[in-house]
Amino acid sequence: MATYVLIHGSWLGGWSWDRVRPMLEGAGHRVFAPTLAGMADRRHLAAPHLGLSVHINEIVELMERQAVTDAILVGHSYGGMVIAGTGGMIPGRIGRLCYVDGLLPRSGQSAFDLIPLMKEHFGQSPPGLPWMSSPVDPALFGVDDESDRRWLEERVTPVPRRTVEEALPAVDDAAREAIPSAYVHCAGLPFLNETAELAARRGMRVITLEGIGHLAMVTHPQVLARELLTLARPVGSPV
């Protein structure tokens, strides 16, 4: 049995893994899919100061509290920032890292530093909350199915902008990058093509999902779950 810790992206919540989680658990694995502070069912915690470091500390505390060791730590999109920080703080508790169309920072880099075009998607705020960013249309991320779009639109919530403005705190980048890592590239959109190329240059295993957009856990959960399940095999085994 492996332990998966699934970290969601901006505007989402632990609910975004609802279509993937049952397949991982059905294969006999333990799964945590926490919602980060300030979003979804925890949106009441949103505050101007709430940023990346808060989220990293939340996941570190979760893994320590639940005595999670040898975890498969998965981060989607902004969640890549969170797992990078977690991996640099407690590398001994992590067996594998997996970035699902996620950002690949090193210490001192923010999400906006890595992809400046992201600023366009975080420019709109709810009335009276200039430090929050309103969700964008799911169609921008390759969600074409109407039922999937409705499912997302009913659940997405604003996100504290500091999460994408705050740089990754000083962590042990070398220890994190020594952890066996994979990058799932959702190639249906060019949004993170250069990031996938960076992952390959860093020696990560790159899994390319052709024709699948940024929100694979919603639009193609079976495909994504199948790839995540391969990570539960011993390092070095055939995939």
Side-chain angles (χ1 to χ4, degrees), residues 75-88:
H76 168 247
S77 195
Y78 162 74
M81 302 288 296
V82 180
I83 71 169
T86 305

Side-chain angles (χ1 to χ4, degrees), residues 1 41 116 162 176 196 207:
M1 180 183 73
D41 53 297
R162 182 164 170 74
R176 179 191 64 246
I207 302 163

Side-chain angles (χ1 to χ4, degrees), residues 83-151:
I83 71 169
T86 305
M89 289 181 67
I90 51 170
R93 290 186 176 271
I94 301 168
R96 295 197 190 217
L97 291 169
C98 179
Y99 299 80
V100 178
D101 234 26
L103 302 182
L104 282 177
R106 283 181 168 153
S107 296
Q109 294 180 312
S110 71
F112 281 173
D113 290 335
L114 294 173
I115 305 181
L117 286 176
M118 286 179 62
K119 294 179 182 180
E120 296 180 11
H121 298 311
F122 286 81
Q124 299 299 316
S125 299
L129 296 172
W131 45 272
M132 295 285 282
S133 291
S134 299
V136 297
D137 187 341
L140 292 175
F141 297 118
V143 181
D144 300 321
D145 181 82
E146 185 60 31
S147 63
D148 287 342
R149 289 180 66 177
R150 286 199 304 270
W151 191 76

Side-chain angles (χ1 to χ4, degrees), residues 81 99 102-106 109 113-115 176-177 181-183 185 192-206:
M81 302 288 296
Y99 299 80
L103 302 182
L104 282 177
R106 283 181 168 153
Q109 294 180 312
D113 290 335
L114 294 173
I115 305 181
R176 179 191 64 246
E177 292 177 9
S181 301
Y183 193 93
H185 177 37
L192 289 167
N193 285 357
E194 292 183 4
T195 308
E197 293 170 1
L198 173 62
R201 291 196 300 272
R202 291 186 183 174
M204 298 169 61
R205 175 187 169 214
V206 177

